[in-house]
């Protein structure tokens, strides 16, 4: 929770300072919570992708899995029923334990990304530890027959430039999100669905979970998917990136 602290002084000085400080705080919060344009990495300023093309009516459903096997099956069945492809970010440790479910995800034509090997915050580890975790995850996925995985979501979404640079140097594309209903807290099916529907925009990347801790996500999808489908298309993250890059190329050609 952010608080505005003002040093003790005369009332007229307080009033004089509160207005500009409040303005800049409001501006900061607006930028932090409403910035949803495409964020592509580059060598000078590595960044994660948190949204696709805001001019194209498409969104991406993404799911994190780090433990369990009970909730992912109903979610896969719901996606199949709704004819929607999503992107699943799974930890190498989970993939190692559940190769049959991972195979089902792939057979259902969903995209697979990784959450590293162990689901532990990358910003709380030394960079060499992060490098080791990424290498181990890549080895596991390769042994399981998934050699072309290039999408990475950091455990807990914890990122900094050093982590992103390391991932990119290993040929990985770091993916964040723009909508997070905190479904893992099980706040209620209606709250999960309403949060998504209230905030969904063109290019939104929606973060959901398919680990055993979630109990209401599948039911929320039953509400969310038909509503979003009315005016938007569900794409995988790779499709969202391709669509956004195509749009950028078109814009650049028009400027020439």
């Amino acid at each position: 929770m952010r608080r505005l602290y003002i040093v003790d002084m005369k009332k007229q000085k307080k009033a004089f300072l509160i207005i500009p400080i409040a303005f800049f705080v409001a501006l900061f919060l607006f930028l932090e919570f409403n910035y949803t344009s495409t964020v592509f990495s580059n060598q000078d300023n590595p960044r994660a992708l948190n949204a696709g093309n805001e001019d194209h009516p498409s969104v991406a459903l993404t799911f994190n899995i780090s433990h369990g096997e009970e909730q992912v099956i109903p979610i896969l069945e719901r996606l199949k029923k709704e004819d929607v492809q999503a992107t699943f970010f799974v930890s190498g440790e989970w993939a190692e334990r559940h190769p049959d479910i991972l195979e089902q995800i792939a057979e259902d034509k969903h995209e697979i990304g990784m959450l590293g090997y162990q689901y532990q915050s990358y910003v709380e580890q030394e960079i060499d530890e992060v490098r080791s975790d990424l290498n181990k995850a890549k080895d596991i996925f390769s042994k399981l027959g998934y050699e072309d995985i290039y999408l990475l979501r950091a455990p807990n979404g914890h990122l900094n430039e050093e982590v992103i640079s390391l991932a990119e140097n290993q040929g990985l594309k770091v993916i964040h999100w723009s909508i997070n209903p905190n479904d893992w807290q099980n706040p209620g099916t209606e709250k999960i669905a309403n949060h998504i529907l209230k905030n969904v925009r063109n290019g939104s990347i929606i973060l959901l979970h398919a680990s055993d801790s979630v109990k209401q996500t599948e039911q929320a999808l039953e509400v969310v998917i038909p509503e979003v489908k009315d005016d938007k298309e569900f794409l995988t993250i790779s499709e969202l990136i391709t669509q956004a890059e195509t749009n950028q190329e078109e814009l650049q050609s028009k400027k020439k």
Side-chain angles (χ1 to χ4, degrees):
M1 178 176 179
R2 295 174 174 81
R3 294 181 175 87
L4 180 62
Y5 294 96
I6 302 173
V7 294
D8 190 23
M9 57 179 64
K10 293 181 179 180
K11 290 183 179 179
Q12 60 267 33
K13 290 184 178 180
K14 286 184 180 181
F16 179 77
L17 286 173
I18 287 172
I19 294 174
I21 292 174
F23 171 78
F24 284 113
V25 169
L27 179 61
F28 172 79
L29 293 176
F30 175 82
L31 291 173
E32 181 174 0
F33 291 108
N34 293 281
Y35 182 71
T36 56
S37 60
T38 307
V39 189
F40 285 105
S41 301
N42 57 65
Q43 292 181 350
D44 298 326
N45 186 25
R47 303 172 76 177
L49 178 71
N50 71 346
N53 180 10
E54 61 184 15
D55 296 322
H56 189 272
S58 55
V59 300
L61 268 180
T62 69
F63 297 87
N64 286 5
I65 312 178
S66 59
H67 65 275
E69 59 185 55
E70 295 179 1
Q71 296 301 320
V72 62
I73 302 302
I75 287 172
L76 286 172
E77 291 173 351
R78 171 58 55 189
L79 294 173
K80 181 178 289 187
K81 183 175 181 180
E82 302 291 349
D83 192 24
V84 167
Q85 268 65 58
T87 301
F88 285 79
F89 290 90
V90 305
S91 69
E93 197 171 34
W94 183 89
E96 207 171 18
R97 292 177 179 176
H98 305 285
D100 53 335
I101 302 178
L102 189 65
E103 185 177 356
Q104 183 176 341
I105 292 172
E107 287 180 352
D108 286 351
K109 299 182 180 179
H110 299 297
E111 185 170 41
I112 297 173
M114 66 180 185
L115 289 168
Y117 181 76
Q118 290 185 317
Y119 195 76
Q120 296 180 0
S121 172
Y122 279 170
V123 299
E124 295 176 3
Q125 299 182 56
E126 296 295 330
I127 198 64
D128 285 341
E129 294 176 306
V130 176
R131 181 180 292 105
S132 177
D133 186 82
L134 288 175
N135 288 336
K136 188 171 183 179
K138 290 166 74 174
D139 287 344
I140 290 299
F141 284 108
S142 180
K143 288 177 182 177
L144 291 173
Y146 306 91
E147 299 177 358
D148 298 328
I149 291 180
Y150 77 103
L151 299 176
L152 170 70
R153 175 169 281 164
N156 304 119
H158 294 173
L159 285 170
N160 56 33
E161 284 195 12
E162 190 175 28
V163 170
I164 298 174
S165 294
L166 170 63
E168 290 189 342
N169 288 336
Q170 293 196 8
L172 300 170
K173 177 66 184 173
V174 183
I175 308 299
H176 203 60
W177 58 79
S178 53
I179 297 178
N180 178 12
N182 291 310
D183 60 326
W184 60 274
Q185 295 179 346
N186 298 306
T189 300
E190 186 175 352
K191 284 189 176 181
I192 295 170
N194 286 344
H195 182 90
I196 295 172
L197 295 174
K198 181 180 178 181
N199 293 283
V200 70
R201 303 286 186 274
N202 289 348
S204 290
I205 296 177
I206 303 167
L207 169 65
L208 292 169
H209 297 77
S211 295
D212 279 0
S213 55
V214 299
K215 309 297 182 184
Q216 302 155 346
T217 301
E218 187 271 328
Q219 295 94 327
L221 289 171
E222 186 176 5
V223 177
V224 168
I225 292 176
E227 288 283 338
V228 175
K229 263 189 169 182
D230 279 347
D231 61 355
K232 291 176 178 38
E233 178 184 11
F234 284 99
L235 302 179
T236 64
I237 290 295
S238 288
E239 291 171 334
L240 202 72
I241 291 173
T242 299
Q243 201 286 322
E245 288 177 338
T246 299
N247 181 69
Q248 283 190 336
E249 291 173 0
E250 291 175 352
L251 289 174
Q252 290 174 355
S253 63
K254 288 179 181 179
K255 290 179 181 179
K256 293 179 180 179

